[in-house]
Amino acid sequence: MELVKSARAEPGRWIDRLGVVASTACLVHCLATPLVVASLPLVAGERFEGTLSAVLVALASLSAGLSWLAGDRRPLVPYVLGLAALALRLRLARGEGDPLDTLLVLAAASGMIVTHVLGLRAARCRSAASACEAPARPD
C-alpha cells in the first residue's frame, strides 16, 4: 500500500504523462483520420484503432486506479465518462464517417486526457502542498 501511495505522489508520474500523450495522439488520430484515410491506410485500419483504444483504456485504468488508491476520487469521473462514451460507440455508432462515432470518440479521448491531467495535478499537489494552496486574498 505504501508503494502505491509513493508512486502516486511522485511529481514526474510517467503513467499520467504517457497517458496524456497517448490520449492526445488518439484524439488527433480520430480527428485527422477522415482527411487522410486514402493516403495512410495503416493509421485508418481497424486493427490500429482497436490496439490504440485498448492501450489507452489500460493506461487510464491504471491512472484512475492509482488515484483511487491514493484517496483522490476526482479522476474517476472523466474516466467513467470516457469509458461510457466508448461503450456507446460500440453499441450505437455506424463506423467511420458517422457523426455520432466522431462525437463519441472525441468524448472518450477527452475523458481519458482529463483523467491523466487530474492525476498529474493531484500528484504535484501531494508532493508540494504549498504549490496547490489557494492564494491569500488581499484584505
Side-chain angles (χ1 to χ4, degrees):
M1 184 66 170
E2 193 61 37
L3 177 63
V4 171
K5 285 184 181 180
S6 67
R8 192 68 188 161
E10 291 177 9
R13 289 204 13 228
W14 64 271
I15 190 75
D16 286 318
R17 292 181 195 282
L18 180 62
V20 168
V21 169
S23 296
T24 302
C26 176
L27 183 66
V28 169
H29 162 75
C30 293
L31 286 173
T33 295
L35 302 173
V36 295
V37 168
S39 62
L40 298 173
L42 173 66
V43 177
E46 290 295 321
R47 181 181 295 168
F48 178 83
E49 288 186 13
T51 302
L52 182 60
S53 293
V55 169
L56 296 178
V57 168
L59 287 171
S61 298
L62 183 58
S63 178
L66 288 172
S67 290
W68 182 76
L69 289 172
D72 186 7
R73 307 296 189 257
R74 290 175 298 163
L76 296 178
V77 173
Y79 170 72
V80 169
L81 292 175
L83 284 181
L86 279 177
L88 284 172
R89 179 184 183 225
L90 290 173
R91 186 79 170 132
L92 301 176
R94 294 183 186 95
E96 299 275 336
D98 179 12
L100 180 61
D101 181 68
T102 302
L103 179 67
L104 291 172
V105 164
L106 293 176
S110 297
M112 300 303 163
I113 292 167
V114 172
T115 298
H116 294 294
V117 169
L118 289 175
L120 282 170
R121 284 187 178 177
R124 189 177 317 127
C125 288
R126 281 190 296 276
S127 67
S130 63
C132 297
E133 292 177 4
R137 291 210 237 149
D139 290 329

